[in-house]
Amino acid sequence: MRHIISVLLENEPGALSRVSGLFSARGYNIESLTVAPTEDATLSRMTIVTSGSDDVIEQINKQLNKLVDVVKVIDLSEGDHIERELMLVKVRAVGKDREEMKRMADIFRGRIIDVTERDYTIELTGSGSKLDAFLKAVSREVILETVRTGASGIGRGDRVLKL
Amino acid sequence: MEISGAEIVVRCLQAENVEHVFGYPGGAVLFIYDELFKQNRVKHVLVRHEQAAVHAADGYARASGRVGVALVTSGPGVTNAVTGIATAYMDSIPVVIITGQVPTHAIGQDAFQEVDTVGITRPCVKHNFLVKDVRDIAATMKKAFYLAASGRPGPIVVDIPKDVTAAKARFDYPESIGMRSYNPVTKGHGGQIKKALSLLMKAERPMIYTGGGVVLGDATKELTQLVRKLGFPCTSTLMGLGGFPASDAQFLGMLGMHGTYEANMAMQHCDVLLAIGARFDDRVIGNPKHFFDEKRKIIHIDIDPSSISKRVRVDVPIVGDVRDVLQELLKQLGSGSAKQDAASLKTWWAQIELWRARDSLKYDRASPLIKPQFVIQKLHETTRGEAYVTSDVGQHQMWAAQFYKFEKPRRWINSGGLGTMGFGMPAAMGVQLAHPKDTVVCVTGESSIMMCIQELSTCKQYRLPLKIVNLNNRYMGMVRQWQEFFHGNRYAESYMDALPDFVRLAESFGHVGMRIEKPGDVEAALAEAFKRKSDLVFMDFITDQAENVYPMIPGGKGLSEMILV
């Protein structure tokens, strides 16, 4: 089953490689992994999307907690949560595609953030499946480049991951 | 007053009351060696290979219960040390390894003797540090010692670039250190302990299975009390030997791949299993699927939550320091009113005695060749079971584990997890330095001993009177045994050709060498060797080449599928 795990860890050099090394050494899946400092600059927040049986997910949680740099771990998928991913897509925008691409961006509530005579760069946020849906909706040939951040997640309401 | 980073390192070691540092100098650690030279509180032991430095620190730690310390230079110093670090990691041994690094400005430039130490060691340490600022050395060293010894112990690497050891700062060693990201649980959950107790009381076929955690957690006294109070059978893993006295009738011997018939059968057929500081690894329970052919309730006490429900599902997990949990368990046992099922227990013991009567460790005592088991039995008698015994890896290790009956913890020192050939002699050096007045024996084989044979030189320099028992069968015995059982007797590359004359080899290093070729000479040779209190004696026992370790659970098989003699 797919799980989205949030990790609060010391903002130290090498902390990321401890986590990624753990996943590769123990053969766990990583669908995506994002990390950046939090409002407290000494801490980083990581979101890992992974999958595995209940036993594997339990081990992942325990192994993450065992890392000395890790402060807290929660499995967001155990409760209500929101996840968002950012995608930048560069599409060809000439001739009839120019209008079509503008319309598609609007439908998906994306924004065009860079424009040239030949292409648009569209910014889209949403769940992973929404981004997938966008890519499906526009034809393969128009897509010049895509870049995705991987999911970031947060618990709903008073589910807070903090020190 | 400001002092150099190198002096800070040495002052930290003094503050931690470190007696011995095992190491080997080189360019990146010269400032540290210079500071070691200027003082005499911390004694340096010069090994002949960095692998041995870490094994010696590891042996010191296992035998003394204190943190072992090794010091090596950058690059090859570190890569040589990695085997030692991984060995300590797999067996959860508290060791601090200080490694030199090229100067900070040269890091990443492929400088001479540069490796990414933190990167290379990351998967085989509990934690590691690269210290980039001289002002961080003291706090990092404090953390290193704290992390190494607390929670589930393990090796910690502190990598220090050369310029950082030359730079100056004030020395201020922290009294204590708090880390918000590291708070190992020590107290077991009272409710869980209660649940465990009620399960134990209802058991009809109970079993207690203990591991290295009992030894590392100094919980021998509590374990012994508990086992005797409950009257249950008790077995131990390779790492846990000595945690419960081997001579006790409630002890069924070691379990696992080469465990006794009674221990493995009882483990397989029990209805309530109490696992203490053990981790159900593949050499212990064999195939977990087969293990679950029988239904049983499992209680598991361990300091490391990730050891619980890793290979087998557990019914009552108890995370905590083994000694704390056992104390609480004993307290609740004393005050509780629940009675055990005496009749079932009696029937269970009767069954176990039938298994025990199978005498699974028997061997041919009338053989005209020296049987390795016989040597270990005589070694046990000669040393009255009181020696510290280290071993290398292979058949001799299993025979030592089976036939040297350990009564006390920290006496049996071997590489259980990683299975590192070459561990025995350097580890014994560390043990001897931790216990200078005690008898230290290294049980080894002709193949293992060759992997760190250079340490005979270190033993001479520091006058370490080890007794080396070399069970010489001219084969990598365990490899040969597997080839005999599973590869149609094709002994691919397992014959040790062109062996040295070990007697003359030992003598060339300034030690005493003995060769023993007849069973009738074994006892006298041992007596003679142990009389030589101040000499290292290398005893080369020429043993039966065809002897195998029994019982044996083949890979992928279950506990009750042993090959017996």
Side-chain angles (χ1 to χ4, degrees):
Chain A
M1 216 185 93
R2 180 176 181 274
H3 284 251
I4 175 160
I5 295 171
S6 276
V7 184
L8 214 50
L9 70 168
E10 296 289 351
N11 186 7
E12 298 271 350
L16 169 62
S17 57
R18 289 183 207 280
V19 174
S20 61
L22 166 70
F23 274 71
S24 64
R26 295 193 182 264
Y28 305 142
N29 293 318
I30 300 183
E31 195 178 293
S32 69
L33 187 159
T34 67
V35 61
T38 64
E39 76 283 4
D40 172 352
T42 65
L43 286 171
S44 292
R45 167 102 176 220
M46 184 181 275
T47 307
I48 306 166
V49 179
T50 183
S51 58
S53 64
D54 290 352
D55 288 352
V56 168
I57 299 297
E58 182 183 333
Q59 268 298 309
I60 290 176
N61 270 292
K62 286 172 167 177
Q63 294 290 348
L64 283 169
N65 270 304
K66 197 166 140 179
L67 292 176
V68 169
D69 280 339
V70 167
V71 184
K72 267 187 181 170
V73 180
I74 58 166
D75 186 345
L76 287 174
S77 21
E78 278 177 354
D80 283 347
H81 67 280
I82 305 158
E83 60 178 277
R84 288 290 179 273
E85 185 175 355
L86 169 70
M87 175 168 69
L88 303 176
V89 198
K90 194 176 285 177
V91 291
R92 200 168 53 222
V94 286
K96 65 174 174 46
D97 283 343
R98 204 161 175 90
E99 194 44 40
E100 172 69 8
M101 282 304 121
K102 171 76 175 82
R103 206 163 48 236
M104 287 301 281
D106 289 343
I107 293 169
F108 280 84
R109 274 179 271 168
R111 297 194 303 146
I112 296 173
I113 53 171
D114 189 48
V115 177
T116 71
E117 284 169 17
R118 306 185 48 80
D119 53 59
Y120 288 152
T121 299
I122 302 167
E123 173 196 310
L124 272 167
T125 48
S127 66
S129 56
K130 173 184 160 185
L131 305 188
D132 292 342
F134 177 83
L135 293 175
K136 246 189 189 161
V138 301
S139 77
R140 239 352 221 284
E141 302 84 73
V142 239
I143 299 172
L144 301 171
E145 188 181 355
T146 60
V147 53
R148 298 170 68 151
T149 57
S152 286
I154 197 163
R156 277 196 189 272
D158 51 11
R159 267 189 103 198
V160 173
L161 176 61
K162 231 178 146 44
L163 266 195
Chain B
M1 195 189 72
E2 295 202 327
I3 59 175
S4 74
E7 190 174 350
I8 291 175
V9 170
V10 174
R11 295 271 287 271
C12 291
L13 297 177
Q14 291 172 343
E16 290 289 338
N17 292 313
V18 171
E19 297 177 278
H20 298 286
V21 172
F22 301 89
Y24 202 105
V29 283
L30 280 177
F31 288 117
I32 300 175
Y33 271 85
D34 204 31
E35 291 304 326
L36 280 172
F37 186 82
K38 293 178 193 162
Q39 54 87 55
N40 53 18
R41 274 182 59 195
V42 181
K43 293 187 188 68
H44 183 269
V45 178
L46 176 68
V47 294
R48 283 2 180 208
H49 186 289
E50 288 89 348
Q51 179 187 344
V54 186
H55 287 334
D58 174 323
Y60 176 91
R62 292 184 203 229
S64 68
R66 306 186 54 206
V67 177
V69 182
L71 169 61
V72 301
T73 195
S74 64
V78 169
T79 54
N80 281 345
V82 166
T83 299
I85 296 169
T87 303
Y89 179 68
M90 287 292 273
D91 290 343
S92 309
I93 306 303
V95 183
V96 169
I97 304 100
I98 301 163
T99 59
Q101 181 54 279
V102 300
T104 39
H105 61 81
I107 290 179
Q109 308 284 310
D110 299 320
F112 176 65
Q113 294 197 325
E114 179 186 359
V115 292
D116 174 10
T117 300
V118 167
I120 281 184
T121 59
R122 186 178 302 122
C124 59
V125 292
K126 179 171 174 182
H127 198 60
N128 57 18
F129 299 95
L130 170 61
V131 188
K132 284 189 166 162
D133 187 326
V134 64
R135 288 166 298 182
D136 295 335
I137 292 179
T140 308
M141 290 289 284
K142 182 75 194 178
K143 279 184 193 170
F145 277 87
Y146 168 59
L147 287 170
S150 59
R152 179 177 181 175
I156 309 290
V157 166
V158 182
D159 195 30
I160 315 179
K162 186 167 186 180
D163 57 324
V164 176
T165 63
K168 296 200 164 187
R170 279 173 51 92
F171 175 62
D172 191 7
Y173 200 62
E175 281 281 305
S176 64
I177 203 108
M179 293 172 75
R180 63 182 174 185
S181 62
Y182 176 78
N183 298 292
V185 176
T186 53
K187 281 259 167 290
H189 189 279
Q192 291 291 93
I193 295 174
K194 201 169 153 194
K195 245 196 243 170
L197 196 60
S198 93
L199 261 184
L200 289 171
M201 284 304 161
K202 278 185 237 146
E204 293 179 2
R205 300 183 308 280
M207 179 72 170
I208 298 174
Y209 146 62
T210 69
V214 171
V215 176
L216 291 169
D218 293 317
T220 302
K221 200 179 84 191
E222 289 75 10
L223 173 69
T224 309
Q225 274 179 23
L226 182 75
V227 174
R228 289 190 177 147
K229 219 170 196 164
L230 290 170
F232 293 172
C234 171
T235 182
S236 161
T237 66
L238 178 71
M239 297 311 295
L241 293 175
F244 184 80
S247 61
D248 194 298
Q250 282 173 257
F251 189 61
L252 307 189
M254 179 173 78
L255 86 166
M257 183 171 268
H258 296 293
T260 65
Y261 185 64
E262 55 271 31
N264 286 341
M265 291 302 276
M267 183 81 174
Q268 180 71 9
H269 295 287
C270 64
D271 69 341
V272 175
L273 178 65
L274 173 61
I276 310 172
R279 59 190 179 89
F280 295 89
D281 86 69
D282 53 304
R283 288 298 194 263
V284 167
I285 59 158
N287 186 343
K289 278 204 193 82
H290 184 278
F291 187 58
F292 279 111
D293 286 350
E294 301 290 332
K295 292 266 167 290
R296 66 178 84 64
K297 295 275 181 206
I298 302 178
I299 304 156
H300 192 175
I301 306 170
D302 206 288
I303 192 139
D304 176 5
S306 77
S307 279
I308 297 178
S309 291
K310 183 172 68 180
R311 296 196 78 238
V312 303
R313 273 267 134 216
V314 164
D315 302 283
V316 184
I318 305 173
V319 176
D321 180 81
V322 164
R323 187 170 54 185
D324 272 23
V325 175
L326 290 185
Q327 279 168 353
E328 181 59 28
L329 199 55
L330 280 165
K331 207 165 87 191
Q332 292 194 15
L333 183 64
S335 62
S337 55
K339 278 264 178 300
Q340 287 166 247
D341 184 345
S344 308
L345 191 59
K346 208 174 150 197
T347 317
W348 178 227
W349 268 113
Q351 171 63 63
I352 290 170
E353 292 306 337
L354 286 177
W355 287 325
R356 179 141 53 190
R358 181 71 180 69
D359 191 13
S360 61
L361 297 182
K362 64 173 174 268
Y363 63 92
D364 177 11
R365 281 159 209 263
S367 170
L369 300 171
I370 297 181
K371 288 289 182 181
Q373 300 95 323
F374 176 71
V375 177
I376 305 293
Q377 281 189 322
K378 290 297 157 191
L379 173 69
H380 182 256
E381 281 171 26
T382 311
T383 56
R384 294 184 304 278
E386 282 167 2
Y388 286 83
V389 180
T390 73
S391 90
D392 275 298
V393 171
Q395 288 184 319
H396 67 268
Q397 177 189 25
M398 293 300 114
W399 285 316
Q402 290 174 336
F403 290 90
Y404 199 100
K405 306 292 180 191
F406 292 94
E407 297 292 309
K408 291 182 193 160
R410 300 193 179 280
R411 301 292 166 125
W412 167 235
I413 285 144
N414 78 130
S415 166
L418 196 68
T420 309
M421 290 170 71
F423 174 81
M425 179 166 42
M429 304 188 316
V431 177
Q432 187 76 78
L433 284 159
H435 301 287
K437 295 208 174 80
D438 290 295
T439 304
V440 181
V441 181
C442 168
V443 175
T444 185
E446 81 296 324
S447 308
S448 280
I449 194 76
M450 290 295 282
M451 286 214 186
C452 274
I453 194 74
Q454 75 285 345
E455 297 309 315
L456 283 173
S457 174
T458 310
C459 292
K460 187 65 195 174
Q461 183 175 345
Y462 298 93
R463 305 286 185 271
L464 303 175
L466 308 182
K467 301 294 175 277
I468 297 175
V469 173
N470 188 36
L471 300 176
N472 184 347
N473 60 1
R474 285 81 73 212
Y475 273 104
M476 293 160 212
M478 193 57 93
V479 173
R480 192 205 57 73
Q481 177 169 342
W482 281 60
Q483 289 170 335
E484 179 188 328
F485 287 8
F486 313 119
H487 299 277
N489 295 300
R490 291 179 298 280
Y491 298 136
E493 302 298 320
S494 56
Y495 182 68
M496 285 302 270
D497 210 340
L499 281 168
D501 175 337
F502 284 109
V503 173
R504 282 166 60 199
L505 181 74
E507 286 168 358
S508 78
F509 279 100
H511 302 305
V512 177
M514 294 163 73
R515 178 175 301 111
I516 305 95
E517 295 175 284
K518 288 201 263 333
D521 296 340
V522 169
E523 277 195 85
L526 284 167
E528 153 85 23
F530 284 96
K531 244 185 262 158
R532 293 178 168 270
K533 293 261 178 258
S534 52
D535 291 321
L536 183 150
V537 183
F538 193 112
M539 288 161 267
D540 189 23
F541 291 94
I542 309 301
T543 61
D544 182 356
Q545 292 188 292
E547 189 57 283
N548 289 322
V549 181
Y550 294 104
M552 177 174 187
I553 303 170
K557 296 282 186 180
L559 277 168
S560 57
E561 297 174 310
M562 284 164 274
I563 303 174
L564 296 162
V565 207

